[in-house]
């Protein structure tokens, strides 16, 4: 094994002559029922309990990974995976 091969081996690289291109895999969690519920209350006032606390405001929009709330004129983007429960008002 020459010094270059030893260096590659020690860096947890594939053995020489096995060139693989790295692939990036993005995994997202979509909760379709929560998204559907939030889309049904667009324009309405809701209370969201999140893992960081409670937030209430008017639902402006909902995407597969986040909801946008208007809280006294300020926009809050809340990740759906952080929502524990939703209470429409």
């Amino acid at each position: 094994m020459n010094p270059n091969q030893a260096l590659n081996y020690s860096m947890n690289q594939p053995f020489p002559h096995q060139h693989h291109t790295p692939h990036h895999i993005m995994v997202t969690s979509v909760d379709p029922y929560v998204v559907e519920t939030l889309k049904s209350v667009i324009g309405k006032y809701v209370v969201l309990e999140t893992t960081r606390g409670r937030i209430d405001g008017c639902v402006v929009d909902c995407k597969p990974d986040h909801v946008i709330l208007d809280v006294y004129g300020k926009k809050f983007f809340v990740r759906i995976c952080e929502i524990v429960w939703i209470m429409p008002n």
Side-chain angles (χ1 to χ4, degrees):
M1 189 178 281
N2 69 39
N4 288 336
Q5 289 172 327
L7 178 62
N8 284 338
Y9 181 74
S10 68
M11 294 174 55
N12 291 328
Q13 298 294 321
F15 285 106
H17 309 297
Q18 291 181 348
H19 299 286
H20 297 284
T21 51
H23 297 283
H24 299 283
I25 299 172
M26 186 171 125
V27 178
T28 59
S29 174
V30 175
D31 193 336
Y33 293 109
V34 175
V35 171
E36 181 181 329
T37 299
L38 288 166
K39 285 187 176 193
S40 75
V41 293
I42 289 176
K44 297 181 181 171
Y45 185 86
V46 297
V47 179
L48 301 179
E49 179 71 29
T50 73
T51 57
R52 304 278 288 172
R54 195 172 289 187
I55 184 170
D56 55 323
C58 182
V59 177
V60 175
D61 197 7
C62 181
K63 304 295 183 193
D65 65 334
H66 69 279
V67 62
I68 304 169
L69 287 185
D70 184 312
V71 182
Y72 301 111
K74 293 188 178 187
K75 302 291 189 272
F76 286 78
F77 296 78
V78 180
R79 293 176 62 200
I80 288 178
C81 64
E82 297 295 321
I83 296 173
V84 178
W85 53 258
I86 303 163
M87 181 176 64
N89 249 352

